[in-house]
Amino acid sequence: MDNTREPAGHLSAIIGIGLLLIGLVVFGVDQQKAWSHQAELTKRFEACMESAPFKQSLRVPRPEAVITDDQLQNHFDAFDQLLKETGLPPIWNGKTLVAWKDYHKNSIEFASQCHTQLGIDQPQRQLKGTYAKPVWDPNSPIWRQAD
């Protein structure tokens, strides 16, 4: 009688292991699809962000190339003043110096428009890499506390 129970126990173990392996494969395939979707959504978001106005300002010549010698001292004075006021160096937007926080806030507003356009409602979960960080999420506590 003991011989008949032993194969039944092995059969149950084999079936259990088989079901576990099938479950792992299904889980792996599901995670791969989710990862691929996340990567594609991130790629589309990056393409959207490339059309942002602040990206165009990076293609404009540096201030020293478009400012006369007389205006250069005023430019340095404005830079120093913004640095003292905000604690962060300002950014040249192609026309004038802009406080870093304002410049970044504009980029966040544009990112929010891209989120809406692409149907992204949880960027920290739906995007990969740098764009998944809280600083790029317009609804992040970072931005709610800053205002």
Side-chain angles (χ1 to χ4, degrees):
M1 282 189 140
D2 288 338
N3 290 341
T4 57
R5 287 187 164 196
E6 190 175 332
H10 286 314
L11 183 60
S12 296
I14 291 172
I15 290 173
I17 291 171
L19 290 174
L20 179 65
L21 288 174
I22 290 171
L24 287 173
V25 168
V26 169
F27 178 76
V29 169
D30 186 52
Q31 290 302 308
Q32 174 63 29
K33 286 181 185 178
W35 184 84
S36 294
H37 176 70
Q38 190 181 35
E40 178 60 29
L41 197 56
T42 301
K43 187 176 177 182
R44 290 175 38 213
F45 178 74
E46 288 172 340
C48 181
M49 290 299 288
E50 283 299 315
S51 66
F54 62 86
K55 285 286 198 171
Q56 307 309 317
S57 69
L58 298 176
R59 296 184 185 108
V60 175
R62 297 178 59 113
E64 59 271 14
V66 295
I67 293 178
T68 67
D69 291 342
D70 296 334
Q71 296 170 322
L72 197 54
Q73 186 60 49
N74 293 336
H75 176 80
F76 287 132
D77 292 341
F79 184 95
D80 287 340
Q81 184 62 35
L82 279 168
L83 181 60
K84 286 177 188 173
E85 289 174 5
T86 65
L88 295 169
I91 295 174
W92 176 254
N93 71 1
K95 297 176 186 161
T96 186
L97 289 170
V98 179
W100 183 90
K101 187 174 178 181
D102 295 336
Y103 187 85
H104 192 63
K105 197 168 199 171
N106 291 339
S107 67
I108 293 301
E109 289 170 3
F110 193 85
S112 181
Q113 293 171 7
C114 289
H115 289 162
T116 302
Q117 178 184 346
L118 297 171
I120 298 170
D121 55 357
Q122 295 179 326
Q124 293 177 44
R125 289 191 175 150
Q126 292 174 284
L127 298 175
K128 294 176 60 96
T130 302
Y131 294 117
K133 294 186 178 184
V135 73
W136 280 102
D137 182 355
N139 299 318
S140 170
I142 292 171
W143 293 105
R144 282 187 251 137
Q145 292 174 0
D147 294 334

